[in-house]
Amino acid sequence: LTSLQNPIHSTELLQDIAAALHTRWDLTSVLDDLQTSIDLRRLVLSNLDSSTPPQTQLSVLRNLSTALFLRFTHFPRLKDLHESIELTEQALSLSKSLNNNAEQFEDLCTLAQTLLVRWDYDGIMSGQERAITLFREAVLLAPSLHQPLDRALALNALSEAIQGRMFLSMQEVEECVDLDQQALEIVPA
């Protein structure tokens, strides 16, 4: 499979097959299922064009990114992690252009988390700092979603990202305490 005859129907069918294979991977851990799922998602992505609805594009980008990240967590090849980050960057750019706060929030948090994972591997501070910036954006965006738990999770993730710095100032420690207290106030006991 290298191209699609009827792009709209083929895209939907290939995404369904990829999702089923991904689910089977979750249940059986057969690597061929995950690999085929990734291959199918790459094929779908390569056949997207300007007529593809933005929500479909977003879904394809996220699903491929997730599959690559999953493969990375089981078989740590930095190539998969880097590609997952690139795809999430594209998804974030697309969600920002759609002016959809919920989609944007999801992509901000996903990208920040993925950058922190990369930072764990390469130790390059710019990745950690970018993750903190992205979490700050997510915290600012969260109230517009009217989902208190999302805001609490973003506050806590921001606090943890800041605490991951090598050296913390007292001001940063105080900020982390404040962020976690805000998160605790949101979450019911």
Side-chain angles (χ1 to χ4, degrees), residues 102-141:
E103 302 286 5
Q104 194 174 339
F105 178 85
E106 180 180 337
D107 293 327
L108 285 166
C109 291
T110 300
L111 182 56
Q113 285 295 108
T114 310
L115 287 169
L116 288 176
V117 169
R118 185 177 71 186
W119 177 75
D120 285 341
Y121 278 83
D122 66 17
I124 297 173
M125 296 297 290
S126 61
Q128 183 189 36
E129 292 306 314
R130 176 118 191 274
I132 290 169
T133 299
L134 292 168
F135 277 132
R136 287 189 193 285
E137 285 182 51
V139 165
L140 292 174
L141 198 58

Side-chain angles (χ1 to χ4, degrees), residues 139-155:
V139 165
L140 292 174
L141 198 58
S144 68
L145 304 178
H146 306 292
Q147 298 291 329
L149 189 54
D150 285 346
R151 179 167 167 73
L153 292 172
L155 287 163

